[in-house]
Amino acid sequence: MLHIIVCILPLMFLSLQIFKKALFVIKLMPKLRIKFDKKTCIGNKACMAVDSERWVNSEDKVDLVGGEKINENIYVLEKEFNEEESKIVIEGAEVCPVNAIGIVNVDSGEEIVKVEVSEEESKVVEASYDDEKEFQLDEKGYFLIKVNRENKKIEVAFCEKPNEISLTVKGDNPLEIYQTIINKEKLEIRKDHYAYLGRELQKAYTALRENIEYVQDDELDFSNKV
């Protein structure tokens, strides 16, 4: 009898280990529900850039691969994903700029990526700023921004020292210019200086499109055509 017990115990232990591994695999393969609102989609296609297996081009929007059409605009896909796939699926939903993609863990009911914006715990602050009292120069330097109408470009120069340009970036639109300055050239300036750059770039872009005069730091005058 003793030798039978001795033989059975390792088998029981092995079975327990296999069971634990199976549970571990199950935990790593949650069943997710992807809900896609095609009407809300604006065709940004950021989801495709992150998760090309789930999202494909569809004219001016995207399609959810394998998604079941629930109604005219809603598509749903329920599937088990491993840990790496889950991260990609979730990230693909999170980059959607208009909340057209929702992700729910089917097993737990957890809403991982919400499609509705919640304001329950939102802090509301009344904005205030006095430019004359609170403005501070950035010690790192300053920008010179102009519109080149001949080349139809926006030109941004950065001066680390007075009247000494250390960097010039030329582009067609604000997005490519500030992405180049911030993420590629990695220009280290104050956060409010980045905000200033974005504001002035948008003004310059509008002036270029509308054929009106652009003067850095001045408000646009739409009656002042060039």
Side-chain angles (χ1 to χ4, degrees):
M1 178 66 72
L2 182 60
H3 75 277
I4 294 175
I5 294 174
V6 171
C7 291
I8 291 176
L9 283 175
L11 291 174
M12 291 177 62
F13 178 76
L14 180 61
S15 298
L16 181 61
Q17 292 300 105
I18 294 173
F19 179 70
K20 286 182 177 179
K21 286 183 178 180
L23 284 178
F24 181 71
V25 171
I26 291 172
K27 287 181 180 179
L28 291 183
M29 294 190 65
K31 189 173 186 180
L32 301 180
R33 180 187 298 118
I34 306 173
K35 184 178 179 181
F36 172 51
D37 185 342
K38 194 166 184 176
K39 184 178 180 180
T40 302
C41 174
I42 60 172
N44 174 270
K45 297 180 175 35
C47 56
M48 282 178 54
V50 173
D51 186 5
S52 58
E53 290 191 25
R54 248 66 57 182
W55 303 100
V56 293
N57 188 49
S58 176
E59 297 181 356
D60 60 339
K61 293 180 181 286
V62 297
D63 276 334
L64 174 59
V65 177
E68 179 184 354
K69 190 173 183 179
I70 303 301
N71 58 41
E72 185 178 355
N73 301 307
I74 304 299
Y75 294 78
V76 171
L77 172 66
E78 285 191 8
K79 186 179 177 181
E80 289 184 345
F81 298 98
N82 62 37
E83 186 177 19
E84 186 61 31
E85 289 174 332
S86 296
K87 289 180 181 178
I88 295 173
V89 168
I90 292 169
E91 186 179 352
E94 289 177 333
V95 296
C96 177
V98 291
N99 299 330
I101 307 168
I103 305 290
V104 174
N105 186 316
V106 177
D107 300 319
S108 66
E110 177 190 1
E111 195 173 6
I112 301 172
V113 180
K114 298 180 180 181
V115 293
E116 295 182 0
V117 178
S118 173
E119 298 184 21
E120 292 181 3
E121 300 181 6
S122 171
K123 181 181 179 181
V124 179
V125 178
E126 191 70 29
S128 63
Y129 175 74
D130 189 327
D131 192 57
E132 292 185 2
K133 295 180 180 179
E134 300 179 58
F135 174 77
Q136 293 181 348
L137 286 172
D138 191 340
E139 295 179 355
K140 297 288 186 178
Y142 60 92
F143 288 106
L144 297 174
I145 303 169
K146 69 177 183 178
V147 170
N148 188 324
R149 298 190 183 279
E150 183 178 348
N151 297 325
K152 295 183 179 179
K153 297 279 187 180
I154 302 170
E155 298 181 359
V156 180
F158 186 74
C159 299
E160 294 180 350
K161 297 179 181 179
N163 300 321
E164 292 185 17
I165 295 174
S166 57
L167 172 68
T168 299
V169 177
K170 302 177 182 181
D172 297 317
N173 59 70
L175 178 62
E176 65 182 18
I177 294 174
Y178 70 65
Q179 286 288 352
T180 299
I181 291 173
I182 297 171
N183 294 321
K184 294 182 179 179
E185 294 300 321
K186 300 188 183 302
L187 191 63
E188 294 184 0
I189 56 176
R190 291 200 327 232
K191 293 178 181 179
D192 59 337
H193 210 169
Y194 282 134
Y196 166 83
L197 174 63
R199 183 189 70 186
E200 289 300 317
L201 285 175
Q202 188 59 47
K203 283 169 51 184
Y205 181 63
T206 301
L208 186 60
R209 285 192 309 168
E210 301 296 328
N211 290 318
I212 58 177
E213 186 178 5
Y214 169 76
V215 179
Q216 187 173 346
D217 294 328
D218 287 357
E219 294 297 326
L220 294 177
D221 183 356
F222 285 86
S223 65
N224 191 6
K225 297 287 184 177
V226 294

